[in-house]
């Protein structure tokens, strides 16, 4: 059982007793309704995975249930010197790229930068989809359908937050059309697989 669930039940019972000065009955034992079944081995594996996630960047599904409760408990024992950790940054003449978080079933989060006039992308995906959000700067997204050659562009900026999605079968790129460094947040629906990257080079324009 998770301590928050136990405390919630204490509060619930105390509130009921306060409202009813003469309760009909008082139980000798009270069953907490939210309980989890697991093994010591599974708990140990989860705790190790929480620690390892800072290197692999792969997180467990820590938003619900036992994993959420155990993760919150694990985090509560971190000392101040463990509150932060660094992640790799990959840089080239275009800018930088940083992966922040990967999930086992819901893709990964990252961000990249681009210097003024720089174009990134120039590829398409068979199945992978992405969501781009310009945090800082001005961007021009270009798209071209790989079969029909239909094309179009979108202009976005950090001043008007807009999610731009990449669609399978459409080549796409993004160009920094502003005067300052551009910062773009990126979510992909799957973790990048170097053996099967699903990223095929294809120009959006002939320029």
């Amino acid at each position: 059982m998770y301590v928050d669930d136990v405390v919630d039940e204490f509060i619930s019972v105390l509130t009921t007793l306060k409202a009813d000065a003469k309760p009909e009955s008082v139980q000798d034992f009270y069953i907490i309704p939210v309980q989890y079944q697991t093994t010591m081995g599974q708990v140990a594996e989860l705790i190790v995975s929480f620690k390892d996630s800072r290197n692999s960047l792969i997180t467990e599904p820590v938003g619900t249930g036992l994993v959420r409760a155990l993760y919150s408990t694990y985090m509560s024992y971190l000392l101040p010197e463990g509150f932060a950790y660094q992640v790799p940054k990959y840089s080239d003449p275009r800018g930088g790229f940083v992966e922040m978080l990967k999930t086992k079933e819901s893709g990964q989060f990252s961000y990249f930068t681009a210097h003024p006039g720089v174009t990134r992308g120039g590829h398409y995906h068979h199945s992978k989809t992405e969501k781009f959000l310009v945090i800082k700067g001005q961007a021009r997204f270009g798209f071209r359908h790989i079969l029909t050659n239909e094309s179009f562009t979108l202009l976005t900026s950090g001043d008007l937050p807009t999610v731009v999605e990449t669609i399978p079968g459409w080549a796409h790129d993004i160009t920094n059309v502003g005067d300052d460094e551009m910062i773009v947040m990126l979510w992909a629906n799957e973790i990048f697989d170097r053996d099967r990257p699903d990223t095929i080079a294809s120009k959006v324009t002939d320029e």
Side-chain angles (χ1 to χ4, degrees), residues 103-163:
T103 72
K104 294 181 177 180
E105 298 180 350
S106 301
Q108 68 176 63
F109 296 87
S110 56
Y111 79 88
F112 63 85
T113 65
H115 303 305
V118 165
T119 297
R120 305 193 68 146
H123 56 244
Y124 69 90
H125 311 295
H126 286 298
S127 301
K128 182 188 300 183
T129 63
E130 301 160 313
K131 294 179 184 288
F132 292 87
L133 178 63
V134 176
I135 304 298
K136 174 187 174 185
Q138 298 178 333
R140 182 184 69 231
F141 288 87
F143 294 89
R144 180 183 62 80
H145 196 280
I146 63 172
L147 297 180
T148 66
N149 279 325
E150 177 186 356
S151 63
F152 70 99
T153 60
L154 289 171
L155 296 175
T156 69
S157 75
D159 297 329
L160 185 62
T162 303
V163 173

Side-chain angles (χ1 to χ4, degrees), residues 44-206:
E45 289 178 0
L46 281 170
I47 292 174
V48 171
S49 74
F50 298 155
K51 178 178 182 296
D52 291 345
S53 67
R54 291 191 167 191
N55 293 319
S56 69
L57 303 183
I58 299 176
T59 183
E60 298 293 333
V62 295
T64 59
L66 171 64
V67 183
R68 170 184 174 273
L70 190 60
Y71 182 67
S72 295
T73 304
Y74 169 83
M75 292 296 292
S76 73
Y77 280 89
L78 288 183
L79 300 177
E81 55 265 31
F83 286 3
Y85 61 99
Q86 292 185 333
V87 293
K89 181 177 182 179
Y90 307 95
S91 300
D92 60 32
R94 300 172 301 171
F97 176 76
V98 176
E99 293 177 308
M100 175 187 173
L101 183 69
K102 301 178 182 181
T103 72
K104 294 181 177 180
E105 298 180 350
S106 301
Q108 68 176 63
F109 296 87
S110 56
Y111 79 88
F112 63 85
T113 65
H115 303 305
V118 165
T119 297
R120 305 193 68 146
H123 56 244
Y124 69 90
H125 311 295
H126 286 298
S127 301
K128 182 188 300 183
T129 63
E130 301 160 313
K131 294 179 184 288
F132 292 87
L133 178 63
V134 176
I135 304 298
K136 174 187 174 185
Q138 298 178 333
R140 182 184 69 231
F141 288 87
F143 294 89
R144 180 183 62 80
H145 196 280
I146 63 172
L147 297 180
T148 66
N149 279 325
E150 177 186 356
S151 63
F152 70 99
T153 60
L154 289 171
L155 296 175
T156 69
S157 75
D159 297 329
L160 185 62
T162 303
V163 173
V164 179
E165 299 195 89
T166 62
I167 310 301
W170 286 82
H172 50 272
D173 62 21
I174 176 173
T175 302
N176 182 352
V177 294
D179 297 325
D180 300 316
E181 181 182 55
M182 178 177 68
I183 303 175
V184 182
M185 182 178 177
L186 168 63
W187 170 82
N189 72 316
E190 59 186 49
I191 294 179
F192 182 72
D193 184 346
R194 295 187 182 278
D195 295 327
R196 298 187 63 186
D198 189 15
T199 302
I200 300 92
S202 182
K203 291 184 178 181
V204 174
T205 66
D206 294 331

